[in-house]
Amino acid sequence: MAASIFSIAQKLALMISNEYDFLSDVPDQAQSLCKEISLMTSALQDASEKHRTRNEVKEWLNQVRDVVMDAEDVIDFFIYVAQRQRHRNILTRYTICYPNQLYHLHQLGKKMENSIKKMSQLSVRRSTLGLAISEEGESSVGSMISNELDQLPFRRRRGDLVQEFSIIGFEKEEGDIVQKLLIPIESPRPSPSVVSIVGMGGSGKTTLARKIYKRNDVKSHFQICAWISVSQQYSIKDLLHVIMEQIKPLTPEEKKELNVESLMHRLSSQLKETTYLIVFDDLWRPKDWNLLKQALPVQGDDFQSRVLVTTRNEIVARCADPSVTPFFLRLLDEDESWKLFLTKLMIGCPEDLEDLGRQIIHKCHGLPLAIVVLGGLLSIKPRTHNAWSKVLDSVNWELNQNERNCKQVLALSYTELPDHLKPCFLYLGLFPEDYEIWRNKLIWLWVAEGFVQPRGHLTMEDVAEDYLEELIQRSLIQAPVRLYDDRVTYFRIHDLIRDLAISEAKQERFLEVLGSADHSLISTNKSRRLSLIEHTGGMRGSPAAALNQGTTPNNLRSLFCLHSKGNMEMIKKSSYGAMKLLRVLDLQGVKSISNSLLKQIGKLILLTYLNLRGTNIKELPSSIGDLRNLQTLNLRYTRLRQLPNTIMKLKQLRNLVFSSSPHDGIQSFDYPLDQMMDLQILMLNEGKWIDSSLEKLTNLRALSIDSSGSMSPYKEVLLNALPRLNHLRCLQLKDWTRIGGNEAVVLPVSFSGHLELHHMDLLGISGILDFPPNLTTLSFNSPGGQGIEELMVNLKKLPKLRCLDLTSVDDLGSNVIFSADGFRQLEELVLMYLGFTVEEGALPNLRVLNIIGSDELKRLPCGLKQVVTLQELTLGLMSDELQDRVRKDAGEDWDIIKHIPSIKIDESKHGFILPNACQYDIDSWC
């Protein structure tokens, strides 16, 4: 309940500060409102914990939310009116707008007074409900939990919710953990080694730990073994009693007399002279570990003892023992899921129901707890097609209604989140099931929504990235792919986590999802955010129909049209009028946006985020320049050929993305961008803006310049500007005329001072003096102008280079040499139209190798045979001779590559599709 209130309160405080020029005539009301909201938010944690068991607290929270949202509407509307008047000419502003502004100021003051009055009344009510105002929002971890918290369902039933289920698929993980526990550590250490199991709720952490704990070889290895379930709320004294009961039970008198300090001293003394294994199950916070570890001996030969921790939070694991890498519990694959499911069915699955059963289990996406719940449910259902079909059609409902439901387990992770992360987590519910959410997009949205709190000198995007990493570390989202600089590219959320986010968000009027099978089409809760998701089957109507019925709420702040195949006339002109307070509009992939409809976007003057990526738009209206609050404008993969000059009015822009290809015929952009001093990411075709602006954009983190004409006229400017842009993390320069045989643009630039630059993509550029010292990914096309030997000498010096893509156009037949004194960290290598030699001891970490299109390459280098780390090899567009030499078991070069597990040999002479190695898009770099 606190998430929506907290996010709005934070936003209001920032708005009142930023828009002081608009609110200067009502400063007392504005400050009083801020103060009242601050008092409310300071009691939110206490209220949020108690509202689950006390209806009057829940009602109080609802009233606070409504008042805060009404206050947001009042201030947003006034700022909208004021900014609209600002755009008009001077005569109109003073003859018509100024009198209107006085009227609106009067109305604003009255409405603020009304909100303050309601807040004051709620403040009195807060006191009568006994809600505490906390500076930190949290009581001491070591203190006794309140009586009310003891009655919470998740507290009472923690033991029931963690159901013991069979271990399927974690045999290797079990063996590795046991090895960590049993193998002695050679060097003494002052405290026991801590082994941690990290995973999302319901992934089987406790079950795996319990199986390991019960193993005979583990039990016999340690003189003392103890198991402690910690959970979110606990009494440190009670936990110490639990440990002592398993080591040397206390008498009733001792239990009463010994305080926490005495108990810790006694326990430490008992453990000091023995070898022990203690399991701390379900540890939530680093400070919990810091408290509990005080009971462990800090002297003696404890390096033979062990502690096993299970947690959802990677930060806890790292804190417990930074020297031991945690075990991250993966989700089950399809076969493992099916085996676990069969163990719950007890007497097997009828052959005619296997297909249905597999469809049901597929919806669990490998989460063991969900599989166990559904397996247990089907074990008591009739073994008929009709009965199992009903379960398939209501999987999410069944998982949440079952007595030991998954939502209750997963909700523990949400309630434990700090306030600033709760709205960020709820936001994930806007995206469809199985959706790949790109890091950049989410970060831009969080910043545009006002969720990100300033932190020192960090950019808002850097702070948002920290938020994202913390959600990953808390096992709430899955990050399957990371770049070589360890940044996430995209991530997913489990369907049950998504359902949790949507459920909690709907209760708070934070967001509404329309069009999916488990949500009604008509929004009834006046949510601030609306996500329209096209559903492909079994539904009456569509999101388009919902909007055409005039259901778009006039308090909407964010609108997403995801996977929408319908015509965008579903958003009528009247709808834009109703959405005048809109701040986020995402129409990515919508194919039918009319020009008349597009022109209406210019009226949404409060917009901070506009995503038209992948749409059919051919022209951008000049009114786009009226969106003075716009931070992100994404125009990638549209049919645009030219940007209007009014773009240069968008002084708040942080991200401008507009891409081209050599055949698009996109015109150059010739207007200055030097007023956009907050630009973080810029993707734009070449033009005179380079002359007038580039060297001034010193806050850029990612820069991409495409040239379908020639970049040569801007050579001198680039030489002067690039050394100044020393905050760059990604640089992409592409002169497509180079493909036509023109000379490469020689840029004798040294990037030695660019310590943050990790990724470079250069096409038709040569002459680089020094590459960035921390470069991890390089795509270099047409190195002939540079000189192959000179280039390789520079590249092999880079200590962190892990992905390299080299393509030659002019120097067909050139040979690159990989020597043993360089490229020590290289993991992926793409060579196009180049021969190569691998010396003995070279490329010791290479995993992926793609060799494409060299007719001159008649045989593979013998040195590949000793690159034992190679896992994938792709050969394409080969000479006939090489094709014969690499034939399996028969070719002369087969012996060189037969040790590689995955080999793809494409014998075609055209149409070859290059694998994704090293071909990272700027979207994932930034």
PDB file of all heavy atoms in Angstrom, residues 803-828:
ATOM      1  N   CYS A 803      35.742  -9.308 -26.362  1.00  0.00           N
ATOM      2  CA  CYS A 803      34.993  -9.613 -27.578  1.00  0.00           C
ATOM      3  C   CYS A 803      35.535  -8.750 -28.717  1.00  0.00           C
ATOM      4  O   CYS A 803      35.581  -7.533 -28.603  1.00  0.00           O
ATOM      5  CB  CYS A 803      33.501  -9.335 -27.349  1.00  0.00           C
ATOM      6  SG  CYS A 803      32.463  -9.836 -28.734  1.00  0.00           S
ATOM      7  N   LEU A 804      35.953  -9.404 -29.821  1.00  0.00           N
ATOM      8  CA  LEU A 804      36.590  -8.691 -30.924  1.00  0.00           C
ATOM      9  C   LEU A 804      35.987  -9.158 -32.242  1.00  0.00           C
ATOM     10  O   LEU A 804      35.907 -10.353 -32.524  1.00  0.00           O
ATOM     11  CB  LEU A 804      38.105  -8.954 -30.920  1.00  0.00           C
ATOM     12  CG  LEU A 804      38.911  -8.375 -32.081  1.00  0.00           C
ATOM     13  CD1 LEU A 804      38.828  -6.861 -32.091  1.00  0.00           C
ATOM     14  CD2 LEU A 804      40.365  -8.844 -31.995  1.00  0.00           C
ATOM     15  N   ASP A 805      35.570  -8.180 -33.050  1.00  0.00           N
ATOM     16  CA  ASP A 805      35.014  -8.441 -34.378  1.00  0.00           C
ATOM     17  C   ASP A 805      35.846  -7.659 -35.387  1.00  0.00           C
ATOM     18  O   ASP A 805      35.809  -6.438 -35.421  1.00  0.00           O
ATOM     19  CB  ASP A 805      33.548  -8.002 -34.404  1.00  0.00           C
ATOM     20  CG  ASP A 805      32.893  -8.195 -35.766  1.00  0.00           C
ATOM     21  OD1 ASP A 805      33.608  -8.536 -36.733  1.00  0.00           O
ATOM     22  OD2 ASP A 805      31.670  -8.012 -35.865  1.00  0.00           O
ATOM     23  N   LEU A 806      36.613  -8.367 -36.199  1.00  0.00           N
ATOM     24  CA  LEU A 806      37.466  -7.731 -37.199  1.00  0.00           C
ATOM     25  C   LEU A 806      36.978  -8.090 -38.599  1.00  0.00           C
ATOM     26  O   LEU A 806      36.799  -9.275 -38.918  1.00  0.00           O
ATOM     27  CB  LEU A 806      38.918  -8.197 -37.051  1.00  0.00           C
ATOM     28  CG  LEU A 806      39.724  -7.643 -35.876  1.00  0.00           C
ATOM     29  CD1 LEU A 806      41.134  -8.211 -35.906  1.00  0.00           C
ATOM     30  CD2 LEU A 806      39.770  -6.124 -35.903  1.00  0.00           C
ATOM     31  N   THR A 807      36.773  -7.076 -39.420  1.00  0.00           N
ATOM     32  CA  THR A 807      36.338  -7.283 -40.792  1.00  0.00           C
ATOM     33  C   THR A 807      37.242  -6.485 -41.720  1.00  0.00           C
ATOM     34  O   THR A 807      37.509  -5.301 -41.476  1.00  0.00           O
ATOM     35  CB  THR A 807      34.883  -6.824 -40.994  1.00  0.00           C
ATOM     36  OG1 THR A 807      34.040  -7.537 -40.088  1.00  0.00           O
ATOM     37  CG2 THR A 807      34.418  -7.107 -42.415  1.00  0.00           C
ATOM     38  N   SER A 808      37.692  -7.113 -42.783  1.00  0.00           N
ATOM     39  CA  SER A 808      38.527  -6.419 -43.759  1.00  0.00           C
ATOM     40  C   SER A 808      37.797  -6.340 -45.084  1.00  0.00           C
ATOM     41  O   SER A 808      37.191  -7.306 -45.532  1.00  0.00           O
ATOM     42  CB  SER A 808      39.854  -7.157 -43.947  1.00  0.00           C
ATOM     43  OG  SER A 808      40.594  -6.549 -44.979  1.00  0.00           O
ATOM     44  N   VAL A 809      37.834  -5.172 -45.707  1.00  0.00           N
ATOM     45  CA  VAL A 809      37.254  -4.997 -47.036  1.00  0.00           C
ATOM     46  C   VAL A 809      38.363  -4.930 -48.087  1.00  0.00           C
ATOM     47  O   VAL A 809      38.330  -5.611 -49.110  1.00  0.00           O
ATOM     48  CB  VAL A 809      36.379  -3.737 -47.093  1.00  0.00           C
ATOM     49  CG1 VAL A 809      35.905  -3.498 -48.514  1.00  0.00           C
ATOM     50  CG2 VAL A 809      35.191  -3.894 -46.166  1.00  0.00           C
ATOM     51  N   ASP A 810      39.384  -4.120 -47.829  1.00  0.00           N
ATOM     52  CA  ASP A 810      40.439  -3.912 -48.826  1.00  0.00           C
ATOM     53  C   ASP A 810      41.508  -4.996 -48.792  1.00  0.00           C
ATOM     54  O   ASP A 810      41.997  -5.428 -49.823  1.00  0.00           O
ATOM     55  CB  ASP A 810      41.118  -2.557 -48.591  1.00  0.00           C
ATOM     56  CG  ASP A 810      40.179  -1.419 -48.949  1.00  0.00           C
ATOM     57  OD1 ASP A 810      39.219  -1.671 -49.669  1.00  0.00           O
ATOM     58  OD2 ASP A 810      40.422  -0.294 -48.496  1.00  0.00           O
ATOM     59  N   ASP A 811      41.874  -5.400 -47.566  1.00  0.00           N
ATOM     60  CA  ASP A 811      43.037  -6.276 -47.437  1.00  0.00           C
ATOM     61  C   ASP A 811      42.648  -7.746 -47.490  1.00  0.00           C
ATOM     62  O   ASP A 811      42.905  -8.517 -46.574  1.00  0.00           O
ATOM     63  CB  ASP A 811      43.762  -5.986 -46.105  1.00  0.00           C
ATOM     64  CG  ASP A 811      44.484  -4.660 -46.145  1.00  0.00           C
ATOM     65  OD1 ASP A 811      44.440  -4.027 -47.208  1.00  0.00           O
ATOM     66  OD2 ASP A 811      45.071  -4.287 -45.135  1.00  0.00           O
ATOM     67  N   LEU A 812      41.963  -8.142 -48.560  1.00  0.00           N
ATOM     68  CA  LEU A 812      41.636  -9.546 -48.729  1.00  0.00           C
ATOM     69  C   LEU A 812      42.939 -10.350 -48.742  1.00  0.00           C
ATOM     70  O   LEU A 812      43.871 -10.036 -49.473  1.00  0.00           O
ATOM     71  CB  LEU A 812      40.854  -9.765 -50.024  1.00  0.00           C
ATOM     72  CG  LEU A 812      39.456  -9.133 -50.066  1.00  0.00           C
ATOM     73  CD1 LEU A 812      38.814  -9.349 -51.423  1.00  0.00           C
ATOM     74  CD2 LEU A 812      38.580  -9.731 -48.989  1.00  0.00           C
ATOM     75  N   GLY A 813      42.942 -11.377 -47.926  1.00  0.00           N
ATOM     76  CA  GLY A 813      44.155 -12.179 -47.859  1.00  0.00           C
ATOM     77  C   GLY A 813      45.085 -11.742 -46.751  1.00  0.00           C
ATOM     78  O   GLY A 813      46.100 -12.390 -46.504  1.00  0.00           O
ATOM     79  N   SER A 814      44.768 -10.654 -46.071  1.00  0.00           N
ATOM     80  CA  SER A 814      45.590 -10.233 -44.953  1.00  0.00           C
ATOM     81  C   SER A 814      45.554 -11.284 -43.860  1.00  0.00           C
ATOM     82  O   SER A 814      44.547 -11.959 -43.662  1.00  0.00           O
ATOM     83  CB  SER A 814      45.099  -8.898 -44.398  1.00  0.00           C
ATOM     84  OG  SER A 814      45.312  -7.875 -45.333  1.00  0.00           O
ATOM     85  N   ASN A 815      46.642 -11.390 -43.139  1.00  0.00           N
ATOM     86  CA  ASN A 815      46.747 -12.404 -42.094  1.00  0.00           C
ATOM     87  C   ASN A 815      46.971 -11.732 -40.751  1.00  0.00           C
ATOM     88  O   ASN A 815      47.877 -10.920 -40.603  1.00  0.00           O
ATOM     89  CB  ASN A 815      47.914 -13.355 -42.403  1.00  0.00           C
ATOM     90  CG  ASN A 815      47.894 -14.575 -41.492  1.00  0.00           C
ATOM     91  OD1 ASN A 815      47.026 -15.430 -41.616  1.00  0.00           O
ATOM     92  ND2 ASN A 815      48.848 -14.635 -40.583  1.00  0.00           N
ATOM     93  N   VAL A 816      46.110 -12.035 -39.777  1.00  0.00           N
ATOM     94  CA  VAL A 816      46.281 -11.487 -38.432  1.00  0.00           C
ATOM     95  C   VAL A 816      46.894 -12.574 -37.561  1.00  0.00           C
ATOM     96  O   VAL A 816      46.566 -13.758 -37.693  1.00  0.00           O
ATOM     97  CB  VAL A 816      44.952 -10.990 -37.837  1.00  0.00           C
ATOM     98  CG1 VAL A 816      44.443  -9.801 -38.602  1.00  0.00           C
ATOM     99  CG2 VAL A 816      43.903 -12.077 -37.803  1.00  0.00           C
ATOM    100  N   ILE A 817      47.784 -12.155 -36.686  1.00  0.00           N
ATOM    101  CA  ILE A 817      48.518 -13.104 -35.836  1.00  0.00           C
ATOM    102  C   ILE A 817      48.100 -12.901 -34.388  1.00  0.00           C
ATOM    103  O   ILE A 817      48.158 -11.784 -33.862  1.00  0.00           O
ATOM    104  CB  ILE A 817      50.036 -12.900 -35.982  1.00  0.00           C
ATOM    105  CG1 ILE A 817      50.458 -13.144 -37.431  1.00  0.00           C
ATOM    106  CG2 ILE A 817      50.787 -13.837 -35.044  1.00  0.00           C
ATOM    107  CD1 ILE A 817      51.916 -12.828 -37.693  1.00  0.00           C
ATOM    108  N   PHE A 818      47.674 -13.998 -33.762  1.00  0.00           N
ATOM    109  CA  PHE A 818      47.347 -13.973 -32.344  1.00  0.00           C
ATOM    110  C   PHE A 818      48.493 -14.643 -31.601  1.00  0.00           C
ATOM    111  O   PHE A 818      48.693 -15.860 -31.674  1.00  0.00           O
ATOM    112  CB  PHE A 818      46.025 -14.698 -32.083  1.00  0.00           C
ATOM    113  CG  PHE A 818      44.840 -13.984 -32.657  1.00  0.00           C
ATOM    114  CD1 PHE A 818      44.364 -14.298 -33.919  1.00  0.00           C
ATOM    115  CD2 PHE A 818      44.211 -12.974 -31.947  1.00  0.00           C
ATOM    116  CE1 PHE A 818      43.286 -13.630 -34.466  1.00  0.00           C
ATOM    117  CE2 PHE A 818      43.124 -12.292 -32.479  1.00  0.00           C
ATOM    118  CZ  PHE A 818      42.670 -12.621 -33.743  1.00  0.00           C
ATOM    119  N   SER A 819      49.264 -13.807 -30.907  1.00  0.00           N
ATOM    120  CA  SER A 819      50.453 -14.301 -30.219  1.00  0.00           C
ATOM    121  C   SER A 819      50.143 -14.579 -28.760  1.00  0.00           C
ATOM    122  O   SER A 819      49.119 -14.167 -28.228  1.00  0.00           O
ATOM    123  CB  SER A 819      51.579 -13.272 -30.328  1.00  0.00           C
ATOM    124  OG  SER A 819      51.169 -12.022 -29.796  1.00  0.00           O
ATOM    125  N   ALA A 820      51.046 -15.274 -28.109  1.00  0.00           N
ATOM    126  CA  ALA A 820      50.836 -15.685 -26.724  1.00  0.00           C
ATOM    127  C   ALA A 820      50.968 -14.527 -25.740  1.00  0.00           C
ATOM    128  O   ALA A 820      50.569 -14.651 -24.581  1.00  0.00           O
ATOM    129  CB  ALA A 820      51.828 -16.790 -26.354  1.00  0.00           C
ATOM    130  N   ASP A 821      51.512 -13.387 -26.182  1.00  0.00           N
ATOM    131  CA  ASP A 821      51.727 -12.272 -25.265  1.00  0.00           C
ATOM    132  C   ASP A 821      50.603 -11.240 -25.303  1.00  0.00           C
ATOM    133  O   ASP A 821      50.768 -10.118 -24.825  1.00  0.00           O
ATOM    134  CB  ASP A 821      53.064 -11.581 -25.570  1.00  0.00           C
ATOM    135  CG  ASP A 821      53.098 -10.995 -26.984  1.00  0.00           C
ATOM    136  OD1 ASP A 821      52.224 -11.363 -27.804  1.00  0.00           O
ATOM    137  OD2 ASP A 821      53.995 -10.174 -27.258  1.00  0.00           O
ATOM    138  N   GLY A 822      49.436 -11.606 -25.854  1.00  0.00           N
ATOM    139  CA  GLY A 822      48.304 -10.682 -25.888  1.00  0.00           C
ATOM    140  C   GLY A 822      46.983 -11.416 -25.960  1.00  0.00           C
ATOM    141  O   GLY A 822      46.928 -12.644 -26.032  1.00  0.00           O
ATOM    142  N   PHE A 823      45.912 -10.661 -25.893  1.00  0.00           N
ATOM    143  CA  PHE A 823      44.544 -11.203 -26.001  1.00  0.00           C
ATOM    144  C   PHE A 823      44.290 -12.284 -24.942  1.00  0.00           C
ATOM    145  O   PHE A 823      43.621 -13.280 -25.200  1.00  0.00           O
ATOM    146  CB  PHE A 823      44.296 -11.773 -27.400  1.00  0.00           C
ATOM    147  CG  PHE A 823      44.480 -10.778 -28.507  1.00  0.00           C
ATOM    148  CD1 PHE A 823      45.651 -10.768 -29.257  1.00  0.00           C
ATOM    149  CD2 PHE A 823      43.493  -9.844 -28.778  1.00  0.00           C
ATOM    150  CE1 PHE A 823      45.828  -9.837 -30.280  1.00  0.00           C
ATOM    151  CE2 PHE A 823      43.664  -8.915 -29.803  1.00  0.00           C
ATOM    152  CZ  PHE A 823      44.833  -8.909 -30.543  1.00  0.00           C
ATOM    153  N   ARG A 824      44.772 -12.061 -23.741  1.00  0.00           N
ATOM    154  CA  ARG A 824      44.670 -13.095 -22.704  1.00  0.00           C
ATOM    155  C   ARG A 824      43.245 -13.276 -22.195  1.00  0.00           C
ATOM    156  O   ARG A 824      42.889 -14.351 -21.707  1.00  0.00           O
ATOM    157  CB  ARG A 824      45.602 -12.756 -21.531  1.00  0.00           C
ATOM    158  CG  ARG A 824      47.048 -12.498 -21.905  1.00  0.00           C
ATOM    159  CD  ARG A 824      47.697 -13.704 -22.530  1.00  0.00           C
ATOM    160  NE  ARG A 824      47.797 -14.839 -21.603  1.00  0.00           N
ATOM    161  CZ  ARG A 824      48.248 -16.040 -21.946  1.00  0.00           C
ATOM    162  NH1 ARG A 824      48.609 -16.264 -23.210  1.00  0.00           N
ATOM    163  NH2 ARG A 824      48.328 -17.003 -21.064  1.00  0.00           N
ATOM    164  N   GLN A 825      42.416 -12.226 -22.280  1.00  0.00           N
ATOM    165  CA  GLN A 825      41.049 -12.310 -21.771  1.00  0.00           C
ATOM    166  C   GLN A 825      40.018 -12.500 -22.877  1.00  0.00           C
ATOM    167  O   GLN A 825      38.819 -12.588 -22.585  1.00  0.00           O
ATOM    168  CB  GLN A 825      40.707 -11.034 -20.986  1.00  0.00           C
ATOM    169  CG  GLN A 825      41.597 -10.780 -19.779  1.00  0.00           C
ATOM    170  CD  GLN A 825      41.567 -11.930 -18.789  1.00  0.00           C
ATOM    171  OE1 GLN A 825      40.518 -12.487 -18.518  1.00  0.00           O
ATOM    172  NE2 GLN A 825      42.732 -12.296 -18.257  1.00  0.00           N
ATOM    173  N   LEU A 826      40.435 -12.572 -24.110  1.00  0.00           N
ATOM    174  CA  LEU A 826      39.491 -12.636 -25.225  1.00  0.00           C
ATOM    175  C   LEU A 826      38.645 -13.912 -25.156  1.00  0.00           C
ATOM    176  O   LEU A 826      39.172 -15.019 -25.066  1.00  0.00           O
ATOM    177  CB  LEU A 826      40.253 -12.584 -26.556  1.00  0.00           C
ATOM    178  CG  LEU A 826      39.403 -12.249 -27.794  1.00  0.00           C
ATOM    179  CD1 LEU A 826      38.847 -10.835 -27.694  1.00  0.00           C
ATOM    180  CD2 LEU A 826      40.224 -12.415 -29.065  1.00  0.00           C
ATOM    181  N   GLU A 827      37.313 -13.733 -25.221  1.00  0.00           N
ATOM    182  CA  GLU A 827      36.383 -14.862 -25.146  1.00  0.00           C
ATOM    183  C   GLU A 827      35.620 -15.087 -26.448  1.00  0.00           C
ATOM    184  O   GLU A 827      35.249 -16.223 -26.752  1.00  0.00           O
ATOM    185  CB  GLU A 827      35.389 -14.654 -24.003  1.00  0.00           C
ATOM    186  CG  GLU A 827      36.025 -14.631 -22.634  1.00  0.00           C
ATOM    187  CD  GLU A 827      34.990 -14.532 -21.527  1.00  0.00           C
ATOM    188  OE1 GLU A 827      33.876 -15.062 -21.696  1.00  0.00           O
ATOM    189  OE2 GLU A 827      35.285 -13.898 -20.497  1.00  0.00           O
ATOM    190  N   GLU A 828      35.345 -14.014 -27.201  1.00  0.00           N
ATOM    191  CA  GLU A 828      34.625 -14.151 -28.467  1.00  0.00           C
ATOM    192  C   GLU A 828      35.415 -13.451 -29.572  1.00  0.00           C
ATOM    193  O   GLU A 828      35.906 -12.335 -29.386  1.00  0.00           O
ATOM    194  CB  GLU A 828      33.217 -13.538 -28.374  1.00  0.00           C
ATOM    195  CG  GLU A 828      32.302 -14.269 -27.427  1.00  0.00           C
ATOM    196  CD  GLU A 828      30.858 -13.799 -27.574  1.00  0.00           C
ATOM    197  OE1 GLU A 828      30.407 -13.596 -28.712  1.00  0.00           O
ATOM    198  OE2 GLU A 828      30.195 -13.631 -26.544  1.00  0.00           O
TER     199      GLU A 828
END
